[in-house]
Amino acid sequence: MKPSPDARPERWLASLALVIIALISLANVVTRYLSGGSLAFTEEFSVFLLVVLTFGGAAVALRRNGHIRIGLLERALPWGPRRALIFLQWACGVTLLGLITWFGAKLAWQEYQWRSLSPGLGLPQWWYIAWLPLLSAAMLIRQTQQTRDRLRGRLDDES
């Protein structure tokens, strides 16, 4: 069995986000139980960290060829048309991720220029939004790596 490729930075980032979500949620529950009030920052940070966790995990799944795909047509095609289909899948993914990266970066830049503050804690909004284009760009890179490996026969689509 070949070792699966890894996206170590994204895996660590997603793991860290999950641990922090668990810790601040636990702290919020304990605080609410003991004092009747809750910590103000937990919801805002949890939502932000959930986005980081989602995009980081999606990048890891892309690199490991773990996203759901219906491979019936792909496996039925001879190698030439199969290569074209794999390339079409890559082009669609890159287009979508490129748009998310572009518009996410544009939004983060606008939030930076406008000096918008988050509604809960009053932190700069771009701190949260900047992770969207950054992690979608990481997904774009992982999509390209996965496609390259699939075209070279390094990834098994049956796993």
Side-chain angles (χ1 to χ4, degrees):
M1 182 174 152
K2 292 187 260 185
S4 70
D6 198 12
R8 189 170 292 148
E10 295 93 328
R11 185 168 44 94
W12 278 96
L13 187 63
S15 298
L16 182 64
L18 183 60
V19 167
I20 293 171
I21 289 171
L23 289 175
I24 64 176
S25 296
L26 176 66
N28 195 31
V29 168
V30 170
T31 302
R32 192 176 310 139
Y33 178 75
L34 294 176
S35 70
S38 66
L39 301 172
F41 69 92
T42 57
E43 183 180 354
E44 192 170 302
F45 280 176
S46 292
V47 169
F48 154 67
L49 289 169
L50 191 58
V51 171
V52 171
L53 173 63
T54 301
F55 275 82
V60 172
L62 268 171
R63 186 64 185 122
R64 292 181 177 179
N65 200 27
H67 279 280
I68 295 173
R69 175 176 57 247
I70 299 173
L72 179 67
L73 175 63
E74 202 172 293
R75 285 189 294 274
L77 290 173
W79 181 239
R82 184 185 307 169
R83 282 180 67 107
L85 181 60
I86 291 171
F87 183 78
L88 177 65
Q89 292 168 349
W90 172 82
C92 291
V94 164
T95 300
L96 178 67
L97 291 168
L99 288 170
I100 293 171
T101 303
W102 171 258
F103 286 111
K106 190 174 177 181
L107 177 62
W109 179 249
Q110 288 172 344
E111 292 292 332
Y112 174 76
Q113 287 180 321
W114 295 336
R115 297 185 179 152
S116 299
L117 301 177
S118 65
L121 297 175
L123 295 172
Q125 192 72 24
W126 70 269
W127 287 4
Y128 301 126
I129 295 173
W131 288 93
L132 175 69
L134 213 120
L135 289 172
S136 62
M139 285 179 65
L140 199 143
I141 292 166
R142 299 305 182 186
Q143 172 83 40
T144 301
Q145 289 173 328
Q146 178 215 47
T147 301
R148 182 194 65 215
D149 288 349
R150 287 178 68 209
L151 289 172
R152 292 180 180 170
R154 291 186 195 153
L155 287 178
D156 183 18
D157 284 337
E158 297 295 320
S159 52

